[in-house]
Amino acid sequence: MPYYGINLKNKGKVVKIKVFIDSGKLEEIKKAHSYGILDGVTTNPSLIRAAVEEVKKDGTEIDIKEYIIKILNLAKGLPVSLEVIGNTYDSMVEEGIKLFNMFNPIAKNVYIKIPVNPSFEENSKTDFDGLRAIKTLSDKNIPINCTLVFTPEQALLASKAGATFVSPFAGRIDDYIRTENKIEFKKSDYFPYMGYEVEDKTLEDNGVLSGIDLVAMIREVFDNYSIKRTKVLAASLRNPRQVREAALVGADIATIPFIVIKELVSHYKTREGMKKFTDDIVPEYEKLIREN
Ligand code: G3P
């Protein structure tokens, strides 16, 4: 059984989940904003790379500072997360301050993304540099989105250090569990939140049964200690069902790729119903509505 079952704890709570777009592409951010459901934007170096490559593919030059300013303006004051690129305390603090000072004055909407642990290897001397950078930057009132979170304990420490958001990477935990167990999958494949069963054994990563289980555990830990200042931002979401489950287990925010945002609204029976209602319009009703 998952540590924290869907539908147990959040019954009757007012739904307050926020929808962020996980993208650095201007057109996607603009469209998502125009849908009237957007609450924020998250980027990371890979998403910025994808956006830059798209702009440059026909030979167009990019001014990255101007480009980021466009993202901030498109977000119209909604939170936008920008990630540092360093992997030491000093570099992350310096970059965090630089990014914040450069971009926050534009729309007062910048959050700095800091990895919970920037080390490339186990037991590195930089293991606590992420938390230390979060502490220093949040003490300077720079809001922090702590990224690359894969355990509830990382989330707890990030919150203690002062993070405003913690970003558990749901899809990547699911990838890891499948890869470790030599299971083939496509990135968009659904992964059961209650765990992937193979020959009566539920696969897991150190007690975490799925990305959504991780989100649920973090929710539970934060609720246990009435942690309100840090919001649970479910990230690395790959399909609509995972977004639904992130909401069911009480994520405060879901950051969603544009393609998945589009899928959220789609259902065969909705389209079929629309066709039928349109076919059934009688002239009297049409006249009443369409003519003055
Ligand atoms: O927000 C985190 C996200 O960009 C990572 O997503 O699908 O690359 O694991 P993904």
Side-chain angles (χ1 to χ4, degrees):
M1 282 298 287
Y3 177 73
Y4 179 91
I6 277 177
N7 209 14
L8 294 182
K9 191 140 183 187
N10 291 289
K11 268 190 183 163
K13 273 193 189 170
V14 178
V15 176
K16 282 189 282 189
I17 191 161
K18 292 193 165 154
V19 171
F20 285 15
I21 183 168
D22 200 24
S23 175
K25 295 187 179 171
L26 301 180
E27 206 44 41
E28 292 185 350
I29 296 166
K30 194 170 162 188
K31 277 193 189 149
H33 197 283
S34 76
Y35 299 157
I37 46 86
L38 197 67
D39 300 302
V41 180
T42 50
T43 70
N44 60 39
S46 307
L47 293 169
I48 294 289
R49 181 191 185 105
V52 166
E53 284 178 355
E54 190 174 271
V55 173
K56 283 168 50 178
K57 72 173 184 263
D58 62 358
T60 311
E61 294 279 310
I62 189 162
D63 176 333
I64 194 69
K65 187 172 177 189
E66 285 306 310
Y67 188 88
I68 291 173
I69 290 173
K70 282 185 188 155
I71 294 181
L72 298 170
N73 284 327
L74 282 176
K76 301 189 188 1
L78 299 173
V80 175
S81 294
L82 300 173
E83 189 157 341
V84 296
I85 53 175
N87 57 3
T88 61
Y89 168 80
D90 288 338
S91 60
M92 289 187 290
V93 168
E94 193 186 322
E95 292 163 11
I97 293 171
K98 186 169 179 185
L99 279 172
F100 191 76
N101 288 343
M102 194 183 295
F103 293 116
N104 194 56
I106 291 151
K108 302 267 182 279
N109 57 348
V110 170
Y111 284 61
I112 299 298
K113 253 176 140 176
I114 304 282
V116 67
N117 178 342
S119 306
F120 296 165
E121 277 141 29
E122 233 178 322
N123 295 322
S124 158
K125 62 179 189 328
T126 56
D127 275 355
F128 282 84
D129 283 21
L131 294 172
R132 290 171 58 221
I134 291 168
K135 172 85 178 123
T136 300
L137 293 169
S138 55
D139 281 352
K140 294 181 189 299
N141 291 323
I142 296 179
I144 302 299
N145 177 351
C146 175
T147 189
L148 288 169
V149 168
F150 289 95
T151 70
E153 46 280 16
Q154 285 179 328
L156 188 56
L157 294 181
S159 172
K160 283 185 73 83
T164 306
F165 300 150
V166 287
S167 292
F169 274 31
R172 289 197 194 183
I173 275 281
D174 300 342
D175 295 349
Y176 182 60
I177 292 172
R178 285 181 287 212
T179 306
E180 287 291 289
N181 289 282
K182 305 193 176 18
I183 294 164
E184 286 186 14
F185 63 96
K186 288 202 306 293
K187 198 172 171 181
S188 59
D189 284 351
Y190 174 69
F191 186 99
Y193 82 93
M194 292 179 70
Y196 201 110
E197 302 268 341
V198 176
E199 292 163 6
D200 285 342
K201 188 179 147 231
T202 307
L203 307 179
E204 59 168 77
D205 175 45
N206 190 25
V208 174
L209 304 187
S210 68
I212 293 298
D213 198 34
L214 170 65
V215 174
M217 284 183 180
I218 296 172
R219 171 81 284 147
E220 177 87 357
V221 170
F222 284 10
D223 287 354
N224 280 348
Y225 297 102
S226 302
I227 293 171
K228 303 244 184 293
R229 73 166 173 196
T230 310
K231 304 295 176 206
V232 182
L233 191 165
S236 181
L237 299 174
R238 308 283 181 66
N239 54 63
R241 198 159 156 190
Q242 210 179 19
V243 175
R244 175 199 307 169
E245 290 170 355
L248 282 167
V249 300
D252 295 298
I253 304 160
T255 190
I256 313 171
F258 183 64
I259 186 165
V260 180
I261 292 182
K262 280 176 51 180
E263 289 169 14
L264 290 177
V265 79
S266 171
H267 194 280
Y268 171 77
K269 291 295 284 182
T270 308
R271 291 189 293 277
E272 186 195 66
M274 269 313 295
K275 277 189 205 141
K276 177 78 177 121
F277 289 157
T278 305
D279 288 347
D280 283 347
I281 298 167
V282 292
E284 295 83 349
Y285 192 57
E286 183 176 11
K287 196 168 170 212
L288 169 77
I289 292 177
R290 295 209 167 129
E291 288 180 15
N292 292 329

